[in-house]
Amino acid sequence: MLVLARKEKESIIIDGGIEIIIQEIGKDSVKIAIVAPREVKVLRKELVDSIKQENQNALDQLNQKELKTFFNRLKKDNE
C-alpha cells in the first residue's frame, strides 16, 4: 500500500491515465475528483462489497434450493 499526503487541489497520477485530484478537505470528509478513460470502471468500495454480498446470497439460496430438490428426489426414489 502506498500512502501519500496531498493538499487541496493537488493530485496524483495512476498508470499515466488516471488522475486523482483532492478537491476539498473538510472536517469529516475529503472530496476527490477522478479523471479516467471511459473504459475504466470507477466504483465506491462499499458498492462493490454490497454487490459481492448480494451475489453470494443469491448463490447460497440457489444451492439450498438445489439441495432440497436433490433430497426430495432421493426421498421419492426410496419410497
Side-chain angles (χ1 to χ4, degrees):
M1 176 189 300
L2 174 64
V3 178
L4 300 171
R6 300 277 75 199
K7 296 178 182 176
E8 283 187 23
K9 307 305 179 201
E10 292 183 338
S11 63
I12 61 171
I13 304 292
I14 300 172
D15 198 30
I18 302 169
E19 183 176 12
I20 309 294
I21 307 162
I22 306 303
Q23 290 291 88
E24 182 180 316
I25 300 172
K27 182 179 178 183
D28 295 327
S29 65
V30 175
K31 289 186 180 179
I32 62 171
I34 302 168
V35 180
R38 285 189 173 269
E39 62 270 9
V40 174
K41 288 184 181 181
V42 179
L43 299 171
R44 294 177 290 126
K45 184 180 183 305
E46 61 270 17
L47 178 61
V48 172
D49 291 344
S50 174
I51 292 169
K52 284 181 183 178
Q53 187 60 52
E54 287 180 21
N55 287 342
Q56 185 61 51
N57 291 343
L59 180 60
D60 291 345
Q61 288 177 357
L62 176 65
N63 289 340
Q64 289 174 4
K65 288 179 183 177
E66 288 177 344
L67 283 173
K68 284 180 183 179
T69 301
F70 174 75
F71 285 119
N72 285 337
R73 286 183 185 164
L74 277 179
K75 185 178 178 182
K76 286 180 184 178
D77 289 344
N78 289 330
E79 291 178 347

